[in-house]
Amino acid sequence: MTQSEEKATQTEENAEPSKKSRLRRWLFRILIIGGCLFILGIATIAGILWYHSSSLPSFDSLADYNPPQVTRMYDRNGRVIAELYEEKRTVVTFDRIPLHVRKAFLAAEDADFYSHPGLDFMGMLRAMWHNIKAGRVVQGGSTITQQVIKTFLLGPERSYTRKIKELLLALRLESNLSKDEILSLYLNQIYFGHRCYGIQEAARYYFDCDVSGLSIEQSALLASLPKSPAGYSPINHPERAKQRRDWVLDQMLKNEMASVQEVKIAKSKELDVVGSYVDFFESAPYYAEYCRRVLEEKLGKDRLLQGGLRVELAVDLDLQQVAQQIVAAELRRIDRRHGYRGRLGKITAEQIKQLHDKHDSQGAKNKIWTLVLSSESQEPETASKTVPTAVKWLELKKEARVIVPVTEISIVDKTEVARLDLGISSATLDLKGIKWARKFSPVGRTPAPKKISDILEVGDLIEVRIEDPTPESLTAGLSQPPLVQGALISMDPHSKHVLALVGGSNFRDTPLIRAVQSRRQPGSSFKPIVYTAAIHTGAYTPASILMDTPEVYRSLQGKAWKPQNFERVFTGAVTLRYALAHSINTVAVKVCSDIGPPAVSNMARDLGIKSKLARNLSMALGSSEVTLLELTNAYSVFPGQGKQAEPVFITAVKTPDGKFIEGFEQTEPRQAISQAEAFIMTSLLRSVIENGTGKRALKLGRPLGGKTGTTNQQKDGWFVGFSADLVSGVWVGFDDNSSMGTGWAQGAGTALPIWVQFMEAALRDRPKLDFKASEGTVFVRIDPENGLLASPQLADAEFEVFVEGTEPRAVSDRLSGGDRQVTSSGSKQINSTTGKRLPEGMYR
């Protein structure tokens, strides 16, 4: 070996320890740096955790869980008529949720819920990996505990900052609440789609049952929804929902939460969802809306919409819906007499094609469309500018009403026929279907159309009524939304419970609650108030003889007023009973003049009328405006034995835990008039139906009382009447006070038919109760010509009822029907029942 080789070898030997030394030094440095970084990381994490923990929200909202809940209105028989809410939720206690329901949600969302500390670390790592790959937050890997934190405290934001807070809060929550309490919060809070929050409302909507009645397959379906309520909706996506439900069932089997047999049976079941909800507009909209306003005024909007209240109403849903149907149908009948107002809108062939392309009927063969127009389309002057804004699909059935376009007018068998587009089918409209559609004129008769083209054009949007739904002969008749309006009130005269309230023809189109919001002149339907005041004075009885003769009255300013009867004829001497039965105006004014307008006004107040009344003689003819509710409630005093109280709409309001809320107690009834006076008025109003203007009601074949009312130029038609156990009032008229027509448009021709139909339906299953005579009344045989006691020989004598002590004392000299004993017009007359002298003006 040479010297140089030895030196190289020696150098290599010296270098090996040096390399090892450097390696050790680097490893030491790396450990030192790594340790520092680790300590720094731990310190950083600790700092981050400390920083975020200092700004964490409190658990107060969880410890005192009081979320928004749905308020429900119930009719007198416990049926839901309306739901009011911001979030449709009803909180249920944990013990009411069956075990298999809880297991279904655990299998779908968090199978290890009862074993982890609130965090699923493997799930978190998996979610972190997916987020790193995506470069953004795409997955959460949240447990039920974390979902509760997100829902209640942090919101839906996806960020690492929010995630850190979520982790901290989840750990804290697990140490503050039990697992059952956390799961209860989750099940009551989550969203299930279709405006349903919480497991109870989901069970009600999808299956029309209480949460306690859910089956395993139903539970699995509901457990599939929180992940994507819209995507897995069994209403909109049944196939997708079934697949997701079956996946949840598989998860239950995998996690030993259900047996093989249970899962097999559950998978074999169809979804069978109901989609149950209360249609506010179809149930009792006017009644519910009126009560909603009362509740909001007393309780405030937030408590009403969030408080989960149980509101018990006096309404009878069956009567309410019958009333709505009758009012709507009769208003259309009246409206048809006024004629056709014209098309509702205009549409082109291209626009019709676009509607077909855009709106799918989902292949249903028994569906027809109705085109949704803007509200101003109901006015003829804007109809040409109106086009449909949407389409609704309805069931094809007889009497269905839809708005459709006229697509063709052709000649068939020498007669014009219109072709109507119903969406996936078409219908024909012939001359028979438009024969009523003369030119619009409430006050005059115009010629009927002679052919289709007299009133329709291609492209017209019109309302039609399906006459024959058979596909081979699908025909329709022309219709139109009524312009004339009406209202109905029905109540128990004894309890004052309002059983039905209708405020117009259709709540969707006209939500004004006319029965309580509109003040109108009552016309002759106010006369019973006048006669009640007269009977109350003791100076008048049903047998009092009064003169139906013309009279001129002068105001303080000297202006002359001469009341006229409707027929413009005068009868002469009549009894008070006859005057009311035949609605004689002159007599009502004379009685009002005698007792004084203040006495009439005071009596109206005693009977519950609160509207301002003009204290002049015209009030006897109903010139002062009142509401239908006021007048109907006043009439309830007569069959109600003289007792007056405020009408009752809301019988009770309860909190979710069943406690009564004060302020909705019924007022104690007071004796407005004596029982004897109430029976006298009941008897007098029976004569209106039996012998007077209300004869149409005789078809009901039971004891009834009531009074018609008509205002000048037939602007208002009224009928208010009663049986022994039900009092109802009806008003008909235009909102703008236009005339409804000529002689046919009196109360007897507009309001009374509605009243008769409603009372016939309402009383159908009730016994025929008679009005019972009260204490303090006596029946006396009288001479109807003069109101005196009848002689035993008088053949045409009649029995009359009196308040005890006011019956006649003198005996009539008349022995036969031809021997009249009535003082001639212009002389003074002694009241035969009281002996008091009546003023000359009553006989002038």
Side-chain angles (χ1 to χ4, degrees), residues 44-354:
T44 301
I45 292 172
I48 291 172
L49 295 178
W50 176 83
Y51 172 77
H52 287 292
S53 65
S54 63
S55 61
L56 292 177
S58 70
F59 288 147
D60 292 343
S61 61
L62 301 182
D64 185 22
Y65 182 57
N66 186 28
Q69 297 189 61
V70 58
T71 290
R72 283 191 167 86
M73 294 181 177
Y74 296 84
D75 88 330
R76 64 192 304 104
N77 297 311
R79 293 170 292 185
V80 179
I81 70 162
E83 296 171 331
L84 308 173
Y85 55 86
E86 289 181 352
E87 292 183 1
K88 191 178 180 183
R89 175 190 291 106
T90 298
V91 175
V92 291
T93 56
F94 190 69
D95 58 349
R96 281 185 57 191
I97 305 174
L99 182 59
H100 62 267
V101 176
R102 302 177 223 163
K103 287 181 176 180
F105 281 87
L106 294 176
E109 296 291 328
D110 190 357
D112 298 324
F113 173 72
Y114 278 95
S115 59
H116 64 59
L119 301 176
D120 181 359
F121 295 102
M122 291 301 296
M124 291 168 59
L125 291 174
R126 184 170 57 252
M128 185 179 295
W129 172 245
H130 285 295
N131 294 339
I132 291 172
K133 287 198 302 180
R136 58 191 177 89
V137 179
V138 296
Q139 197 176 100
S142 298
T143 64
I144 284 178
T145 306
Q146 289 172 273
Q147 291 183 54
V148 168
I149 293 297
K150 179 176 66 176
T151 301
F152 282 91
L153 302 176
L154 298 180
E157 175 197 359
R158 285 188 172 185
S159 68
Y160 288 108
T161 298
R162 190 202 63 78
K163 196 67 177 179
I164 292 171
K165 292 183 178 182
E166 180 184 300
L167 301 181
L168 293 172
L169 286 169
L171 294 172
R172 284 190 183 182
L173 182 61
E174 290 273 346
S175 63
N176 280 271
L177 298 178
S178 69
K179 289 286 188 178
D180 287 352
E181 289 172 330
I182 295 171
L183 184 56
S184 178
L185 288 172
Y186 173 77
L187 292 176
N188 278 301
Q189 186 70 16
I190 51 177
Y191 181 60
F192 286 89
H194 296 280
R195 298 185 291 182
C196 296
Y197 290 83
I199 186 66
Q200 174 71 345
E201 288 307 318
R204 278 177 170 163
Y205 175 76
Y206 290 106
F207 303 111
D208 195 22
C209 71
D210 187 83
V211 63
S212 61
L214 289 170
S215 63
I216 290 180
E217 67 273 10
Q218 291 172 337
S219 303
L221 177 63
L222 296 184
S224 72
L225 293 174
K227 183 177 179 63
S228 178
Y232 293 121
S233 166
I235 303 294
N236 300 327
H237 307 289
E239 290 301 321
R240 197 185 303 170
K242 190 173 187 301
Q243 292 174 4
R244 177 70 177 174
R245 181 202 70 176
D246 291 349
W247 177 84
V248 174
L249 290 169
D250 288 337
Q251 294 302 111
M252 293 180 74
L253 179 62
K254 175 183 175 182
N255 291 282
E256 299 181 350
M257 295 178 178
S259 67
V260 174
Q261 185 66 16
E262 286 175 326
V263 171
K264 182 179 179 181
I265 294 173
K267 281 188 173 183
S268 68
K269 300 290 182 63
E270 295 298 325
L271 296 183
D272 198 25
V273 293
V274 177
S276 174
Y277 71 101
V278 177
D279 189 334
F280 180 90
F281 294 99
E282 296 298 328
S283 184
Y286 285 107
Y287 201 112
E289 173 61 13
Y290 175 73
C291 293
R292 185 199 65 78
R293 295 175 187 178
V294 172
L295 290 163
E296 185 173 311
E297 183 179 348
K298 288 190 175 185
L299 302 176
K301 185 176 181 179
D302 290 344
R303 190 176 187 186
L304 177 61
L305 298 182
Q306 301 176 10
L309 306 176
R310 178 185 175 92
V311 181
E312 298 175 0
L313 306 179
V315 65
D316 183 315
L317 185 57
D318 292 332
L319 284 184
Q320 175 68 30
Q321 295 187 333
V322 166
Q324 289 169 186
Q325 293 164 9
I326 291 172
V327 169
E330 281 297 299
L331 291 180
R332 285 183 176 273
R333 177 188 67 81
I334 296 168
D335 191 78
R336 283 166 69 103
R337 294 195 61 157
H338 295 151
Y340 181 54
R341 298 191 302 277
R343 65 193 176 204
L344 301 178
K346 194 74 175 175
I347 192 170
T348 65
E350 180 61 27
Q351 289 170 330
I352 295 175
K353 182 178 181 301
Q354 291 174 2

Side-chain angles (χ1 to χ4, degrees), residues 385-405:
K385 302 178 183 178
T386 302
V387 295
T389 57
V391 163
K392 287 185 180 180
W393 291 97
L394 306 176
E395 182 182 352
L396 173 58
K397 61 181 181 180
K398 186 178 176 63
E399 299 184 358
R401 295 183 190 273
V402 290
I403 296 175
V404 295

Side-chain angles (χ1 to χ4, degrees), residues 742-811:
T742 53
W744 68 268
Q746 300 177 64
T750 55
L752 181 54
I754 297 175
W755 187 90
V756 169
Q757 289 187 51
F758 172 75
M759 292 293 280
E760 183 176 26
L763 299 174
R764 183 172 294 126
D765 298 324
R766 298 194 187 196
K768 294 183 179 181
L769 301 177
D770 203 349
F771 302 103
K772 295 182 179 179
S774 60
E775 292 185 8
T777 57
V778 293
F779 287 85
V780 175
R781 190 168 172 269
I782 66 162
D783 182 344
E785 293 291 344
N786 52 36
L788 300 178
L789 291 175
S791 63
Q793 299 85 1
L794 188 61
D796 61 346
E798 297 175 356
F799 277 97
E800 186 56 273
V801 62
F802 299 86
V803 175
E804 189 173 12
T806 66
E807 66 272 19
R809 295 180 292 276
V811 179

Side-chain angles (χ1 to χ4, degrees), residues 69 198 263 348 457 514 563 641 645 687 710:
Q69 297 189 61
V263 171
T348 65
E457 297 176 353
R514 294 166 181 82
Q641 298 181 325
S687 293
T710 308

Side-chain angles (χ1 to χ4, degrees), residues 816-835:
S816 66
D819 185 16
R820 299 177 61 87
Q821 190 186 41
V822 178
T823 303
S824 62
S825 177
S827 65
K828 295 185 178 181
Q829 173 69 35
I830 302 296
N831 187 311
S832 60
T833 54
T834 63

Side-chain angles (χ1 to χ4, degrees), residues 76 314-315 490-499 633 636-637 639-641 643-651 665-669 724-727 766:
R76 64 192 304 104
V315 65
S490 186
M491 59 193 298
D492 185 316
H494 306 288
S495 67
K496 310 302 180 184
H497 284 193
V498 178
L499 306 178
N633 190 40
S636 75
V637 174
Q641 298 181 325
K643 293 183 178 180
Q644 194 278 331
E646 288 298 304
V648 177
F649 290 87
I650 302 169
T651 58
E665 300 82 9
Q666 183 175 354
T667 58
E668 285 294 321
D725 54 353
L726 190 67
V727 56
R766 298 194 187 196

